[in-house]
């Protein structure tokens, strides 16, 4: 249970999910983290009960596991973009500076942090380009196929069948998943070393959540969207 007399640092170390809340209120949980939460809130003119509620919410928050098996392909794409693409675009700019700070401060003693920073940058470069390809090429094509059921015209494509870009996307998913798996292995399952600061705990918590979200995101694409898009193309365009 998170309480007002606890220090920010102890809360952040015990419940790394709370670090997002500290960041959103600009409460220093790191270098100045040895102060009780109540005192830190008073200094900033924050309502301690509101901060406590946000902290509890961050711990309890769980991703709603919605059933998209019956959704239209258009609705599924909208969900993927609004939920998972938006998450990738908001988390990477938050995690990259944390990885840089962690590598600079603790890299000499914990060289895996230097590797994490490099791999996260590679993941960001590849994944952001991947999202753009999906949003500009693949998803509009699938949405147009979906619209044919309501009288829409056949989509124009720069590929002979949707299976071509899908194969490329599936390969890129494997690359992203493998990078996170390597990061997880190098950090013993995203366990921060005991002699590091809360930034490392926050980074590892963020990477752990990022990997979980990516798994759900890839599942929706590889296992739901892509097979249905291939079947729909065959149905609507009689592609062999
Ligand atoms: Fe995606
Ligand atoms: Fe994807």
């Amino acid at each position: 249970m998170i309480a007002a007399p606890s220090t920010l640092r102890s809360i952040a170390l015990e419940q790394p999910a709370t670090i997002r809340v500290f960041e959103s209120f600009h409460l220093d949980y790191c270098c100045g983290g040895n102060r009780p939460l109540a005192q830190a809130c008073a200094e900033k003119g924050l309502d301690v009960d509101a901060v406590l509620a946000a902290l509890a919410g961050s711990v309890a928050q769980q991703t709603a596991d919605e059933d998209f098996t019956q959704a239209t392909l258009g609705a599924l794409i909208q969900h993927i973009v609004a939920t998972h693409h938006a998450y990738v675009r908001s988390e990477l700019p938050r995690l990259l500076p944390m990885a840089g700070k962690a590598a600079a401060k603790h890299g000499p003693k914990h060289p895996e942090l230097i590797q994490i920073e490099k791999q996260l940058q590679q993941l960001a470069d590849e994944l952001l380009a991947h999202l753009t390809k999906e949003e500009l090429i693949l998803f509009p094509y699938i949405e147009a196929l979906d619209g044919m059921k309501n009288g829409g015209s056949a989509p124009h494509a720069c590929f002979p069948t949707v299976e071509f870009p899908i194969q490329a996307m599936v390969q890129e998913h494997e690359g992203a998943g493998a990078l996170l798996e390597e990061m997880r292995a190098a950090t013993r399952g995203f366990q921060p070393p005991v002699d590091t600061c809360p930034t490392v705990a926050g980074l590892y918590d963020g990477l752990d959540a990022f990997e979980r979200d990516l798994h759900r995101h890839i599942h929706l694409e590889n296992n739901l969207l892509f097979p249905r898009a291939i079947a729909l193309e065959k149905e609507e365009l009689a592609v062999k």
Side-chain angles (χ1 to χ4, degrees):
M1 168 109 179
I2 299 169
S6 306
T7 65
L8 282 73
R9 185 187 169 87
S10 68
I11 296 168
L13 284 171
E14 281 166 32
Q15 303 280 5
T18 58
I19 286 174
R20 283 185 193 82
V21 176
F22 288 138
E23 284 169 346
S24 70
F25 285 106
H26 301 290
L27 286 165
D28 179 6
Y29 61 88
C30 196
C31 303
N34 278 329
R35 288 167 305 149
L37 177 67
Q39 182 193 334
C41 288
E43 285 168 5
K44 287 231 166 209
L46 294 166
D47 176 359
V48 68
D49 289 332
V51 175
L52 278 169
L55 291 168
S58 72
V59 175
Q61 194 178 24
Q62 286 178 350
T63 309
D65 196 12
E66 293 175 67
D67 180 8
F68 284 97
T69 51
Q70 305 304 317
T72 65
L73 293 191
L76 179 53
I77 286 172
Q78 268 182 26
H79 168 77
I80 288 169
V81 172
T83 306
H84 299 292
H85 288 202
Y87 177 80
V88 169
R89 288 194 174 105
S90 74
E91 276 297 90
L92 287 173
R94 189 180 78 85
L95 294 173
L96 281 166
M98 289 171 91
K101 189 176 163 190
K105 193 167 173 197
H106 299 289
K109 196 166 171 206
H110 299 285
E112 71 274 16
L113 283 163
I114 295 169
Q115 192 60 28
I116 291 290
E117 186 193 11
K118 280 190 196 142
Q119 288 179 317
L120 186 60
Q121 186 61 60
Q122 185 189 342
L123 181 71
D125 293 344
E126 293 176 2
L127 207 47
L128 292 172
H130 174 87
L131 302 187
T132 303
K133 282 182 256 180
E134 287 183 338
E135 290 172 19
L136 295 183
I137 301 167
L138 180 58
F139 290 177
Y141 179 82
I142 298 173
E143 283 170 327
L145 279 180
D146 198 40
M148 287 178 74
K149 284 182 285 187
N150 300 319
S153 49
H156 296 288
C158 53
F159 37 81
T161 148
V162 75
E163 293 186 49
F164 280 53
I166 283 176
Q167 269 174 19
M169 294 304 104
V170 169
Q171 266 185 12
E172 290 178 6
H173 291 166
E174 283 166 10
L179 268 174
L180 278 160
E181 219 174 284
E182 281 175 38
M183 287 190 242
R184 176 176 286 281
T187 58
R188 302 157 305 281
F190 298 123
Q191 297 283 336
V194 286
D195 59 346
T196 52
C197 68
T199 297
V200 179
L203 171 66
Y204 283 7
D205 176 66
L207 289 174
D208 186 42
F210 193 90
E211 188 185 35
R212 268 184 277 124
D213 183 82
L214 190 73
H215 287 164
R216 175 82 185 139
H217 177 181
I218 291 174
H219 160 72
L220 290 177
E221 292 178 355
N222 283 13
N223 300 334
L224 267 179
L225 179 65
F226 295 167
R228 286 181 63 194
I230 291 168
L232 183 63
E233 187 188 54
K234 285 187 170 46
E235 198 182 306
E236 295 291 346
L237 302 179
V239 171
K240 296 272 185 283

